[in-house]
Amino acid sequence: MAANDYQNSKILTVQEVADILRVHRSTISRYAMSGELRSYVIGNRRLFKETEVWAFFENRISPESRVDQRCVFGKEKCHGNGYHPKTQS
């Protein structure tokens, strides 16, 4: 990373990350402690790079937005519960 890239990388606190992602501070701390969200500890402060926060956000996929591969059956309709009714011909 070039020196100029370091200068352009914004450093955020736990509260700032929580505000960006609209979750509680303890949720951010939990992600950081588990290693899911990369953080840096300086003294007694946990800090985050803004670019890494957005990368974390982009890589989170909710269960609702995952495509259920069992539901790709041409004309069959998926109900999300594993039940796949046959269509009437």
Side-chain angles (χ1 to χ4, degrees):
M1 186 178 261
N4 194 27
D5 291 339
Y6 285 114
Q7 293 171 350
N8 292 332
S9 183
K10 187 173 179 182
I11 304 300
L12 305 170
T13 64
V14 171
Q15 184 61 58
E16 290 170 327
V17 174
D19 291 343
I20 288 171
L21 298 180
R22 297 183 179 163
V23 296
H24 196 270
R25 287 183 8 223
S26 63
T27 302
I28 299 303
S29 295
R30 189 173 62 249
Y31 285 143
M33 298 289 277
S34 72
E36 291 180 72
L37 177 57
R38 188 169 185 183
S39 66
Y40 304 84
V41 177
I42 299 177
N44 65 348
R45 300 196 45 127
R46 187 173 296 276
L47 302 172
F48 305 84
K49 289 182 182 177
E50 184 178 34
T51 54
E52 293 175 350
V53 171
W54 286 114
F56 169 80
F57 176 76
E58 291 295 326
N59 290 320
R60 300 292 296 180
I61 300 174
S62 69
E64 299 83 27
S65 64
R66 288 191 178 121
V67 175
D68 185 350
Q69 294 300 318
R70 299 171 299 174
C71 296
V72 184
F73 291 106
K75 294 181 181 179
E76 292 180 12
K77 184 176 180 181
C78 179
H79 291 273
N81 59 5
Y83 174 68
H84 306 283
K86 300 282 185 197
T87 56
Q88 299 294 326
S89 299

